[in-house]
């Protein structure tokens, strides 16, 4: 991210580049797995630049997590929307998308849940809780479209399956974690409809 002599500094572009690069590094290493000096070296920026844009490493961590939450929710909402109007197809699309993520070589679990367990700060826990709330909102909307008796209950059950599958894929076995969770989710949907 060095700026060539005579060129104009674009603070927003610099901030975005740092955020993008830090997202990968922090996901790979963990929030507490790399210090500020090592992080700056990996990002190719000075501490002063990092602090100017984010205040502290914690400020960078918060920005990374908020951006990641936005990206994940947008990605899954797009997958659900592309599946059409049938809630069963939407659930299938969601868990198929998750299985695709689990199959990626760089997969290391949910960055937000990892952050909340690694980095016990109120800000990180708040961002993670908001992320789970956004997931719950998406899943409850699917349940509502299914016209079940208690969409809130089904939404919470689906959230447990999503996060459970993600943890199993990260810590036990990636293969078919999303597929098995999808089967359980469809069975729950059918049970709530009857």
């Amino acid at each position: 991210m060095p700026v060539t002599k005579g060129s104009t500094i674009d603070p927003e572009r610099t901030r975005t580049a740092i955020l993008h690069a830090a997202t990968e590094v922090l996901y790979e290493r963990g929030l507490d797995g790399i210090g500020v000096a090592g992080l700056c070296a990996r990002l190719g920026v000075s501490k002063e630049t990092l602090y100017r844009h984010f205040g502290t490493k914690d400020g960078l961590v918060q920005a990374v997590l908020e951006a990641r939450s936005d990206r994940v929710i947008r990605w899954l909402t797009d997958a659900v929307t592309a599946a059409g109007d049938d809630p069963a197809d939407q659930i299938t699309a969601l868990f198929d998308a998750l299985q695709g993520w689990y199959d990626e070589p760089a997969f290391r679990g949910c960055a937000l849940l990892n952050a909340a367990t690694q980095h016990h700060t109120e800000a990180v826990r708040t961002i993670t809780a908001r992320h789970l709330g956004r997931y719950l909102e998406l899943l409850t909307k699917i349940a509502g479209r299914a016209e079940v008796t208690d969409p809130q209950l089904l939404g919470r059950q689906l959230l447990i399956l999503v996060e459970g599958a993600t943890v199993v894929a990260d810590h036990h076995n990636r293969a078919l974690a999303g597929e098995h969770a999808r089967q359980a989710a469809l069975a729950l949907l059918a049970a709530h409809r009857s």
Side-chain angles (χ1 to χ4, degrees):
M1 267 170 269
V3 178
T4 4
K5 189 173 182 175
S7 65
T8 305
I9 297 174
D10 181 348
E12 189 55 38
R13 189 182 77 191
T14 301
R15 186 180 197 287
T16 300
I18 292 170
L19 194 59
H20 176 72
T23 297
E24 293 177 21
V25 172
L26 293 173
Y27 186 61
E28 172 193 321
R29 297 283 302 269
L31 301 184
D32 297 328
I34 188 165
V36 173
L39 183 59
C40 288
R42 286 278 304 265
L43 300 178
V45 299
S46 67
K47 287 181 187 179
E48 293 78 15
T49 300
L50 180 94
Y51 294 147
R52 183 172 45 254
H53 289 281
F54 299 97
T56 62
K57 180 184 174 191
D58 283 344
L60 173 63
V61 164
Q62 290 169 28
V64 162
L65 294 176
E66 288 169 352
R68 181 129 188 161
S69 177
D70 290 345
R71 199 168 46 257
V72 167
I73 297 301
R74 188 172 44 252
W75 164 60
L76 291 175
T77 299
D78 289 349
V80 166
T81 301
D85 295 330
D86 180 20
D89 291 344
Q90 293 174 343
I91 287 172
T92 297
L94 183 131
F95 282 100
D96 287 351
L98 289 171
Q99 184 62 57
W101 176 43
Y102 303 158
D103 291 338
E104 292 177 7
F107 173 74
R108 286 179 171 59
C110 174
L112 285 108
L113 289 180
N114 292 347
T117 57
Q118 296 168 8
H119 203 71
H120 300 283
T121 68
E122 191 57 37
V124 168
R125 295 179 69 76
T126 298
I127 293 166
T128 302
R130 187 170 47 241
H131 176 70
L132 291 175
R134 295 170 78 187
Y135 248 138
L136 180 59
E137 183 180 334
L138 173 64
L139 297 167
T140 301
K141 284 181 181 175
I142 294 171
R145 285 190 287 275
E147 299 178 0
V148 299
T149 308
D150 191 347
Q152 292 289 332
L153 175 60
L154 179 56
R156 285 189 303 274
Q157 291 171 333
L158 293 172
L159 177 62
I160 290 167
L161 287 172
V162 165
E163 292 304 332
T166 302
V167 169
V168 167
D170 186 28
H171 295 287
H172 184 263
N173 186 349
R174 295 177 189 205
L176 302 176
E179 168 67 19
H180 294 156
R182 178 179 61 80
Q183 291 171 4
L186 293 173
L188 269 173
L189 176 63
H192 277 269
R193 283 179 156 172
S194 51

